[in-house]
Amino acid sequence: LGARSTANLPINRGFDDHLGFLGGGEDHYMQDHCPGSPSKMTVDLWEDRGPAYGQNGTYSSFLYAKRAVKLLRNFGARASQSPNVKLFLY
């Protein structure tokens, strides 16, 4: 979704929240990316507008599920106050 440019991250394209990879070829446990050599290892899991430091060591699917539950709970609280609130989760 990020298409290797921060300008293309969902948070910069109209979404309120974002958790996902920017580049490609990441390790789904360590959320890192090695563009060319191990000395260039970087964190590639992004949360909103920056790297999601401290998330490594947890399988990515579990991170996404935890974030989705958090968003759904927050949405439920907002929707109970305003029924016109909409949710799009991708």
Side-chain angles (χ1 to χ4, degrees):
L1 286 175
R4 295 179 177 87
S5 168
T6 56
N8 293 330
L9 290 171
I11 192 83
N12 295 324
R13 300 178 82 189
F15 290 85
D16 295 329
D17 297 281
H18 168 249
L19 179 66
F21 293 119
L22 177 66
E26 295 79 15
D27 178 295
H28 288 278
Y29 279 100
M30 298 306 293
Q31 292 81 36
D32 53 21
H33 176 68
C34 180
S37 73
S39 65
K40 295 181 181 180
M41 190 69 69
T42 59
V43 171
D44 195 43
L45 181 68
W46 284 58
E47 184 171 14
D48 297 329
R49 290 185 172 82
Y53 295 113
Q55 302 288 341
N56 59 338
T58 303
Y59 192 65
S60 297
S61 293
F62 298 142
L63 293 174
Y64 300 141
K66 183 178 176 182
R67 182 66 172 263
V69 168
K70 178 182 174 184
L71 291 172
L72 290 169
R73 286 187 177 143
N74 290 342
F75 173 74
R78 289 187 302 159
S80 68
Q81 300 296 318
S82 175
N84 294 328
V85 174
K86 305 291 186 225
L87 174 70
F88 178 75
L89 184 62
Y90 175 73

